[in-house]
Amino acid sequence: MEALKAEEFLNELLSCREAFWEKMNAERKSYGAEKPLSPAIVLRRLQFGVVMERKAAEVTARWVGQIPDLDLQQPMSEYVVNELKHTSILRKRIAELNGDPDALWNQPLKELKELWDYHASLESLCELIASVQFGHEEFFPRTSKSFIARVESIDPQTASVYRDTLLADEAGHEWIAPEILRRYATDAKTQNKCLEALKRGCELFGKAIQSFNQSLPA
Ligand SMILES: [Fe+2]
Ligand SMILES: [Fe+2]
């Protein structure tokens, strides 16, 4: 198989991701992802965020030293710093709410662990980027918007953490993943592996989200 041109390859990844989003978003209501929030659910959601932010930083950090071009290496190292900063912000908010910041970190749901073990097992920077930053991290602003809308009336401080910090930073690093894939995933073998990683990552992410929602207090 011949390698796709960069834009064709990115379009292929994009259509896989969006097809998955359509499917997952249609299912979300069925397992209660949009139900009204209670303080206990808000706390759990913040604890879930701690795992997602910290793991995104950890699985990415090991590849930063291998990014050939400084104009991508530097922003990617800042990405790692940002995700760890978000972890700290979420942990602080949980402590303010008298919760355990590391409840899910110390005892992750099986499906959540599977998701991050998979990312940690990937064998190239491009596969990781396709699966995490180009893949399910793109869903974060979408699911956060509905969370912010629902949390605003019961916990405006938490709504502000999401809206003014986490989401604001997210917008600043969205350009990096497509640029890395455009520049480094140029042969057919790597492109195929990236597509596989994106699909598997989305699948595991969907399972983790479902398991998380089903674990929420009634
Ligand atoms: Fe983040
Ligand atoms: Fe992020």
Side-chain angles (χ1 to χ4, degrees):
M1 196 191 113
E2 270 189 40
L4 298 172
K5 290 198 183 79
E7 291 313 310
E8 286 168 4
F9 169 56
L10 285 176
N11 279 335
E12 182 108 14
L13 287 171
L14 196 88
S15 57
C16 268
R17 182 185 76 203
E18 294 310 312
F20 180 80
W21 168 256
E22 291 283 312
K23 179 175 167 290
M24 189 184 91
N25 202 29
E27 286 167 4
R28 282 174 79 243
K29 284 201 177 83
S30 75
Y31 52 70
E34 301 278 334
K35 70 181 178 188
L37 299 168
S38 64
I41 293 178
V42 172
L43 202 57
R44 196 83 178 141
R45 169 86 188 214
L46 292 165
Q47 289 161 337
F48 184 78
V50 166
V51 178
M52 297 303 278
E53 302 279 358
R54 189 168 174 186
K55 279 289 174 188
E58 283 190 358
V59 297
T60 307
R62 67 182 274 239
W63 294 108
V64 170
Q66 297 185 39
I67 300 175
D69 298 307
L70 187 63
D71 67 326
L72 289 173
Q73 189 177 41
Q74 189 215 333
M76 217 48 213
S77 76
E78 285 165 358
Y79 165 91
V80 171
V81 172
N82 268 322
E83 301 304 11
L84 292 176
K85 185 182 83 185
H86 297 163
T87 309
S88 301
I89 292 169
L90 290 173
R91 290 184 81 262
K92 179 167 166 276
R93 184 67 196 134
I94 296 167
E96 287 165 0
L97 295 168
N98 298 316
D100 172 3
D102 296 316
L104 260 174
W105 177 262
N106 290 332
Q107 281 188 300
L109 299 163
K110 181 171 129 295
E111 292 80 3
L112 192 54
K113 186 171 182 311
E114 277 166 10
L115 172 70
W116 290 108
D117 284 352
Y118 173 68
H119 293 317
S121 77
L122 289 170
E123 288 169 0
S124 71
L125 166 74
C126 287
E127 286 168 83
L128 191 267
I129 297 286
S131 186
V132 179
Q133 288 84 6
F134 193 88
H136 65 74
E137 199 173 336
E138 277 286 319
F139 303 147
F140 174 69
R142 308 179 196 182
T143 53
S144 293
K145 279 191 189 110
S146 110
F147 176 67
I148 292 167
R150 285 174 298 136
V151 82
E152 188 78 67
S153 62
I154 64 162
D155 182 349
Q157 181 66 32
T158 292
S160 158
V161 163
Y162 271 80
R163 189 183 45 235
D164 305 326
T165 312
L166 272 53
L167 281 184
D169 283 348
E170 199 65 31
H173 65 234
E174 276 170 5
W175 67 273
I176 312 173
E179 188 54 30
I180 285 183
L181 294 165
R182 200 177 277 129
R183 217 180 286 181
Y184 305 131
T186 51
D187 63 275
K189 194 170 164 227
T190 306
Q191 291 180 346
N192 266 331
K193 284 186 145 196
C194 287
L195 273 163
E196 285 311 307
L198 175 83
K199 284 180 197 158
R200 184 77 184 127
C202 280
E203 206 178 288
L204 290 170
F205 175 75
K207 285 185 181 157
I209 289 283
Q210 181 168 2
S211 155
F212 169 71
N213 278 287
Q214 286 168 343
S215 79
L216 292 175

